[in-house]
Amino acid sequence: MASCTWIINVLLLLTACVAVAEDAWSSSPSSLSETEREVLLSTGWWTNRYLDFYISQSPCDWVRIGCDVEGRVSSIIFDYDPLYIEDEELGKLDFSFFPYLEKLQLPNCGLKGSIPFQIGMLSNLESLSFRDNYLTDKLPSSLANLTQLLSLDISGNFLSGSIPNRLSRLKNLIYLDLNHNKLTTGTIPPSLNSYTNLNQLNLGFNKLNGFIPWELGNLNNLLTLNLANNKLAGTIPSTLGSFTYLNHLDLGFNQFNGSLDLLMANLSQLKNLAYLDLGHNKLTGLIPQGFGNLRYLAKLYLHSNNLSGVIPLELQNLSDLVKLNLGCNNLNGSIHLELGNLRKLVSLDLGHNKLTGMIPSTLGSLTELSHLNLSFNRFNGSLAIQLANLTHLMELDLAHNAFTGSLPVFKDCNILKYLDFSYNLLSGHIPVELGDCPSLVHPPVENQNKMNVRNGDMFSVGNFDGHIAYADIVRATNNFDIRYCIGIGSYGSVYEVRLPSGRTVALKKLHRLEAEEPAFDRSFEMRCMCCQI
């Protein structure tokens, strides 16, 4: 009997608490406004220099605050205000006192701590942004109560854990961005397929693992899908080909495998695609002709995979292409003349493949190019003089090929910052004009009008030949005469060397036993990282 009485008392107490809460939420606009003002002031986010003004005025007159027609706070927006809430806990603002809030946007405010569970009490909320703060801990499951939410952006924080399955209740979502966090456990929930109104889904730059659930193919209204820089693996599901309106697809920097030509049989249906990144994965096979059907593509990244075969001629159909990166694969064959039809190209990277033949003169028609990388291939023949027409070039890398003949003369190199012709079979003189390029990081000519590229100047942007460089060093030191020795250590002797270019360097010559040690070779090994540009 006593226990029954205790239960009844508890129920009565809970009923009283609910009644008090309902009274607070249904109180007159004036009393609610007064409560809202006190809660806002308690945070200290509205600085003391304005304190007297705030006390004498309604919050509706404050900066960053918006109210409805009844005078109740309906929006707190910091988006366009330069003030910065530094090193403050997000939980300092008690959201339970703002039942009519529709927009809560606090991006880039320096907020820290976790997202309070009270956030789930804002049943009228339509837009929520905590972008670019220092929030930690997990995504609270109470977010699932915000069933009116249209936009959720918590990108650029330090959130961990998994994506709660309960978030599938947010069926009205149009925009979801959890990019750049530390979501490390679990996979992408298949339940996200309930977001049938979703336009943008951004889960990139986390540590999500597992597969892409095939159920995501139900998101027929997607315009943007970004899953890049995670640990996703397996094959890319064919259901992604059902995204009729998709404009942006980024799956780069994951561990996807499978054949690209099989995948493209589905992706070729994405007629509105303008951005496609499949780089830094484990895709194999040929680059399929179907890419030629994606007529609106502006950026295509297929670099750092295991692709083979030739560059398909059909790529010439991509007349809107601005960036093309096929580097770090196993592509062979030659560059088609028709590649010169891509007149909008700003960046072209074909480096680190097995491409052969001569550089077609039609590349000189790509007058918008600012980055051109053909390094580490098997190109041969002379360099097309038409390359001198590329007056917008900032970076040109033709190193590690078998080019012969002389260098092209760049008539206008005011913006050229990086130039590498090393490890080829070039001969003749470096054009005087290259020495006048004001922006070159390492100009090939310094205080000289001419320099024969067949010397071994390892500092020259021109051709570098190790055998010739060694001969230059031997001559400069009279076969390592003791008079040029400036120091002796446990591993070798240090010599002062004046090179033909006029530079003076210190050179260490290893003792024989150390020089024969394989570990020394490995310590000087150069490695390449193929990066998106």
Side-chain angles (χ1 to χ4, degrees):
M1 188 66 168
S3 61
C4 292
T5 303
W6 179 82
I7 293 174
I8 292 172
N9 288 334
V10 169
L11 290 175
L12 289 174
L13 179 61
L14 289 175
T15 303
C17 290
V18 170
V20 170
E22 288 179 346
D23 288 342
W25 282 53
S26 60
S27 57
S28 66
S30 59
S31 62
L32 180 59
S33 178
E34 177 68 24
T35 302
E36 291 173 337
R37 183 178 63 175
E38 294 301 320
V39 173
L40 292 171
L41 283 174
S42 68
T43 65
W45 296 356
W46 284 262
T47 57
N48 290 331
R49 56 183 171 172
Y50 297 126
L51 191 58
D52 292 338
F53 171 77
Y54 291 149
I55 290 176
S56 60
Q57 299 292 331
S58 163
C60 301
D61 298 322
W62 299 5
V63 293
R64 302 172 248 170
I65 298 292
C67 294
D68 59 19
V69 294
E70 300 293 336
R72 301 167 301 201
V73 174
S74 60
S75 66
I76 303 176
I77 301 177
F78 280 64
D79 278 24
Y80 305 106
D81 195 283
L83 298 180
Y84 187 70
I85 307 170
E86 187 173 5
D87 204 32
E88 292 280 2
E89 294 281 342
L90 175 61
K92 202 169 184 179
L93 179 60
D94 192 338
F95 298 106
S96 63
F97 286 92
F98 300 92
Y100 296 95
L101 204 60
E102 296 177 359
K103 294 181 180 180
L104 176 60
Q105 299 175 4
L106 303 175
N108 195 27
C109 293
L111 293 168
K112 64 180 185 179
S114 57
I115 300 174
F117 74 93
Q118 291 96 335
I119 204 80
M121 301 178 68
L122 305 179
S123 58
N124 291 307
L125 204 61
E126 297 179 356
S127 176
L128 174 61
S129 174
F130 296 137
R131 172 176 52 84
D132 295 331
N133 282 289
Y134 301 95
L135 302 179
T136 56
D137 211 345
K138 299 180 180 180
L139 285 167
S141 58
S142 62
L143 288 173
N145 298 328
L146 307 179
T147 55
Q148 301 301 312
L149 209 58
L150 302 176
S151 175
L152 175 60
D153 187 351
I154 317 181
S155 61
N157 283 281
F158 298 90
L159 299 174
S160 58
S162 60
I163 302 173
N165 273 308
R166 289 191 64 196
L167 289 188
S168 61
R169 296 176 56 188
L170 308 180
K171 300 184 184 301
N172 292 313
L173 268 185
I174 296 175
Y175 183 95
L176 175 59
D177 194 344
L178 303 177
N179 183 47
H180 279 281
N181 276 287
K182 294 185 176 182
L183 301 175
T184 56
T185 58
T187 61
I188 299 173
S191 57
L192 295 187
N193 69 341
S194 62
Y195 299 159
T196 54
N197 296 319
L198 202 64
N199 289 158
Q200 298 194 48
L201 176 58
N202 192 345
L203 306 178
F205 289 89
N206 283 286
K207 295 182 180 180
L208 298 171
N209 53 51
F211 309 100
I212 298 179
W214 63 267
E215 290 89 347
L216 289 189
N218 294 336
L219 306 180
N220 294 324
N221 290 304
L222 268 187
L223 300 176
T224 296
L225 176 60
N226 183 0
L227 305 178
N229 289 79
N230 279 288
K231 296 183 178 181
L232 299 170
T235 57
I236 299 171
S238 60
T239 52
L240 297 192
S242 63
F243 297 151
T244 310
Y245 304 108
L246 198 66
N247 176 268
H248 184 114
L249 178 58
D250 192 347
L251 305 178
F253 287 85
N254 279 288
Q255 299 171 20
F256 295 120
N257 55 42
S259 173
L260 178 61
D261 43 350
L262 291 177
L263 169 64
M264 198 58 203
N266 300 293
L267 296 187
S268 61
Q269 306 303 312
L270 305 179
K271 304 295 185 181
N272 294 300
L273 208 58
Y275 182 106
L276 177 59
D277 189 347
L278 300 174
H280 272 279
N281 281 289
K282 299 178 181 179
L283 300 173
T284 59
L286 307 176
I287 299 178
Q289 299 175 359
F291 276 104
N293 297 327
L294 305 179
R295 299 298 181 91
Y296 296 108
L297 262 186
K299 298 179 181 180
L300 175 59
Y301 302 107
L302 301 177
H303 59 289
S304 304
N305 281 287
N306 295 309
L307 304 177
S308 57
V310 300
I311 299 173
L313 180 61
E314 287 72 15
L315 289 186
Q316 68 167 316
N317 298 331
L318 306 179
S319 57
D320 287 334
L321 207 59
V322 174
K323 293 188 177 184
L324 175 61
N325 193 340
L326 307 179
C328 293
N329 281 290
N330 293 304
L331 302 176
N332 55 47
S334 59
I335 298 177
H336 297 294
L337 291 171
E338 290 78 7
L339 198 62
N341 295 334
L342 303 179
R343 301 298 177 86
K344 295 182 180 180
L345 268 185
V346 171
S347 175
L348 175 60
D349 191 340
L350 304 178
H352 291 266
N353 279 289
K354 298 176 181 178
L355 299 170
T356 58
M358 299 180 64
I359 302 300
S361 60
T362 52
L363 287 192
S365 301
L366 304 178
T367 55
E368 299 299 318
L369 270 183
S370 63
H371 298 77
L372 176 59
N373 183 4
L374 304 178
S375 64
F376 287 88
N377 278 286
R378 299 171 182 175
F379 293 120
N380 54 42
S382 59
L383 293 170
I385 60 175
Q386 288 82 359
L387 290 179
N389 297 331
L390 306 180
T391 56
H392 289 86
L393 271 183
M394 297 177 64
E395 296 186 13
L396 175 59
D397 193 346
L398 303 177
H400 288 268
N401 282 286
F403 292 119
T404 58
S406 58
L407 302 178
V409 177
F410 289 87
K411 301 173 184 177
D412 183 3
C413 59
N414 288 326
I415 62 173
L416 194 60
K417 296 183 181 297
Y418 180 86
L419 179 62
D420 194 344
F421 290 105
S422 63
Y423 293 94
N424 280 285
L425 303 174
L426 299 170
S427 60
H429 295 88
I430 294 178
V432 174
E433 291 81 2
L434 287 181
D436 297 327
C437 295
S439 299
L440 270 179
V441 177
H442 297 296
V445 180
E446 293 185 7
N447 302 319
Q448 300 182 65
N449 289 328
K450 293 185 178 181
M451 180 190 299
N452 193 304
V453 296
R454 291 296 292 168
N455 71 39
D457 183 7
M458 67 280 291
F459 299 99
S460 171
V461 180
N463 183 52
F464 171 77
D465 188 310
H467 294 289
I468 297 173
Y470 180 75
D472 289 339
I473 293 168
V474 170
R475 276 194 300 272
T477 60
N478 193 19
N479 197 21
F480 298 100
D481 190 282
I482 189 63
R483 60 182 166 167
Y484 296 100
C485 182
I486 58 175
I488 298 176
S490 58
Y491 292 106
S493 303
V494 181
Y495 291 81
E496 182 180 18
V497 183
R498 184 174 178 81
L499 297 171
S501 64
R503 288 179 180 267
T504 300
V505 298
L507 174 75
K508 176 178 282 190
K509 181 177 183 290
L510 296 177
H511 298 320
R512 178 169 181 173
L513 292 178
E514 283 76 14
E516 291 173 350
E517 173 58 47
F520 280 89
D521 289 336
R522 288 194 294 271
S523 67
F524 290 100
E525 184 180 0
M526 295 180 65
R527 298 184 180 274
C528 162
M529 287 187 64
C530 296
C531 301
Q532 175 179 320
I533 57 175

